[in-house]
Amino acid sequence: MALVTLFVYVLLTTKKYQKEVLVCGLIFLFYIVYSIYLGINIPKACFLDMLQQIKPYMAFYSAYSLFAVIKPSKYRKIRRYVLVFSVFLAILLIIRATTGFGSVLIVGHPTFAATCSFIFALIYLLFSDQRKKDVYIALIIMSFGLLSTRSKFYGDYIVFVFLFFFLKRKISFNVKFVVIFTVLISIMVYFAWEKLNFYYIEGIDNTNIIRSLLVRKTPEIMNDYFPFGTGFASFGNITSGTYFSPIYHQYGFDQIRAYGGFREGHVFFLGDTFIPNLAQYGYFGLFLLIWFWYRRWREIKRIKNFVVYRISIFVFFVIIIENLADTMYMSNRGMMLFILLGIILNPNSEYNKFMSYEGYEHGKCPNNGISNRK
């Protein structure tokens, strides 16, 4: 409810995104009415799923008001807290790597520990003086996440290293960038090949691999329920399993026998991937998702501070990488990324006033883009 209250507050007080926030609210209002009218799942399930689906957007828009009041005098304290938590996380991950316990006992699945490492790294860098030493400290914090052994995190790590140690100017889509980007993607695919192959290539036709089947059925459902999809709580998320959606019977998921079968009360794996959620919105929702991120990309391109620009690009790529086989987009882990992006893209916040963007033009920054502020 706190996030909902902030969302309403932003709608009433923030001018820059007031129209966009209003449109976002109206879109979700339309989909809740549409979902109840379609009647695939009960209204209670539709409302619960709507609250889950709107979380990242409420977090993003609310960040404008939530962080506008944090004064630069607090930044050193923020960095200290981050360093303390990072050391604690590193100890847990080292214990886990050597004994099999540790991070799991405190933060649950190793994915959460990996997420903490790059969230801590970004927060530290965002509120630092952004000198070269601060980038190295952020890299060390990021490196703790390698101990989680999560394949997606290897991709995140490669992107971080590329952006902060090899990217010399803002991204422009020319031949040189295409070649570098192709090499980068190839390295990422190499580290994540086992899972990509299992879920999206060889496994895509295996009807007993539930995540692959969810992904494979998504375009079919979007075509059958053109153009607005199946509505909330109907497919590809935990709510649609908790309040078991008839869609799963309609598309033959109850025929699955592997991993204990696909049945009501045994659907924890529905929270494994973001892509099937698109079936709930249809092609219209897919267009809106692309539109939202196109607007964010345009805003990121206008950032003059090159370090902050690279942080924004990193967040952009992490959201893509993580949601190939995860639901970070709608989770509390994902909310942190949306909040950080909201801090960065709010030009009126105390943070961006303090950053003093003067002198940073088109990514041509001294010191490899690291600020020379004293």
Side-chain angles (χ1 to χ4, degrees):
M1 287 304 297
L3 193 57
V4 174
T5 304
L6 276 172
F7 186 62
V8 174
Y9 175 74
V10 171
L11 176 60
L12 297 176
T13 61
T14 304
K15 291 183 179 180
K16 180 183 178 184
Y17 282 108
Q18 201 166 45
K19 290 182 180 178
E20 190 172 324
V21 173
L22 179 61
V23 170
C24 178
L26 290 174
I27 289 168
F28 276 91
L29 178 62
F30 164 77
Y31 268 100
I32 190 64
V33 173
Y34 171 75
S35 302
I36 294 172
Y37 170 78
L38 206 60
I40 289 176
N41 215 328
I42 61 174
K44 179 182 178 180
C46 294
F47 276 106
L48 288 174
D49 190 36
M50 183 192 72
L51 291 176
Q52 183 72 18
Q53 301 281 340
I54 202 174
K55 271 172 56 177
Y57 306 104
M58 288 195 297
F60 173 77
Y61 293 122
S62 298
Y64 292 89
S65 296
L66 184 64
F67 282 92
V69 295
I70 294 183
K71 302 298 181 182
S73 59
K74 302 294 184 182
Y75 294 171
R76 179 174 294 181
K77 185 175 290 188
I78 292 173
R79 295 199 301 272
R80 286 175 179 172
Y81 283 134
V82 167
L83 289 175
V84 169
F85 285 119
S86 297
V87 170
F88 182 61
L89 178 66
I91 293 172
L92 291 175
L93 286 168
I94 291 171
I95 293 173
R96 177 185 177 271
T98 55
T99 67
F101 297 97
S103 65
V104 175
L105 297 177
I106 304 296
V107 296
H109 197 278
T111 298
F112 303 148
T115 303
C116 286
S117 67
F118 68 66
I119 291 294
F120 289 161
L122 293 181
I123 293 175
Y124 180 88
L125 192 54
L126 200 60
F127 291 102
S128 71
D129 291 332
Q130 297 177 356
R131 299 173 184 173
K132 189 167 292 186
K133 68 171 186 177
D134 296 310
V135 176
Y136 282 112
I137 292 172
L139 179 65
I140 292 171
I141 296 172
M142 272 283 290
S143 299
F144 297 152
L146 295 173
L147 295 171
S148 69
T149 66
R150 309 309 297 170
S151 58
K152 293 193 296 295
F153 182 81
Y154 296 151
D156 300 333
Y157 191 82
I158 291 167
V159 171
F160 185 90
V161 171
F162 169 74
L163 290 176
F164 286 95
F165 294 93
F166 294 96
L167 187 67
K168 306 298 183 182
R169 60 182 66 246
K170 287 188 176 183
I171 293 173
S172 58
F173 292 95
N174 52 32
V175 175
K176 181 180 178 180
F177 173 76
V178 171
V179 172
I180 294 173
F181 186 73
T182 302
V183 173
L184 183 66
I185 292 296
S186 299
I187 296 172
M188 291 166 58
V189 169
Y190 172 79
F191 282 103
W193 173 252
E194 185 178 350
K195 283 196 172 182
L196 287 172
N197 184 53
F198 183 70
Y199 290 120
Y200 296 106
I201 302 175
E202 289 185 7
I204 198 68
D205 293 322
N206 189 334
T207 56
N208 279 322
I209 300 177
I210 297 166
R211 183 185 289 170
S212 300
L213 186 59
L214 287 167
V215 173
R216 184 158 65 90
K217 288 290 184 180
T218 298
E220 182 182 344
I221 295 172
M222 291 174 71
N223 290 334
D224 292 345
Y225 287 84
F226 182 88
F228 299 117
T230 54
F232 292 128
S234 59
F235 187 72
N237 54 65
I238 289 293
T239 311
S240 68
T242 304
Y243 301 87
F244 205 71
S245 170
I247 289 290
Y248 297 120
H249 294 301
Q250 181 180 340
Y251 286 88
F253 282 83
D254 50 0
Q255 303 301 313
I256 294 175
R257 294 291 176 263
Y259 308 107
F262 190 102
R263 62 185 187 278
E264 191 169 357
H266 189 257
V267 291
F268 59 91
F269 38 75
L270 285 174
D272 279 355
T273 183
F274 171 73
I275 294 173
N277 278 272
L278 297 175
Q280 298 193 148
Y281 298 98
Y283 288 103
F284 180 66
L286 178 61
F287 165 77
L288 293 174
L289 181 69
I290 295 171
W291 175 77
F292 173 84
W293 284 107
Y294 172 72
R295 290 179 66 87
R296 303 294 77 80
W297 180 263
R298 290 180 60 189
E299 291 170 337
I300 289 171
K301 286 171 61 178
R302 291 196 289 267
I303 296 173
K304 294 181 180 180
N305 181 307
F306 196 39
V307 173
V308 178
Y309 169 80
R310 287 185 286 192
I311 292 173
S312 306
I313 295 295
F314 178 73
V315 170
F316 188 87
F317 277 104
V318 164
I319 288 174
I320 294 174
I321 294 169
E322 291 291 329
N323 287 287
L324 288 174
D326 198 351
T327 50
M328 174 188 270
Y329 200 95
M330 298 176 296
S331 70
N332 292 335
R333 295 177 296 130
M335 282 177 60
M336 282 303 303
L337 292 176
F338 280 91
I339 288 171
L340 288 174
L341 200 58
I343 297 171
I344 292 169
L345 296 182
N346 177 11
N348 297 317
S349 70
E350 290 292 338
Y351 172 79
N352 279 331
K353 290 177 183 177
F354 176 71
M355 288 307 298
S356 181
Y357 283 359
E358 296 298 326
Y360 294 86
E361 297 180 358
H362 308 297
K364 298 178 180 179
C365 307
N367 235 3
N368 191 27
I370 311 301
S371 171
N372 286 319
R373 289 198 317 274
K374 298 181 180 179

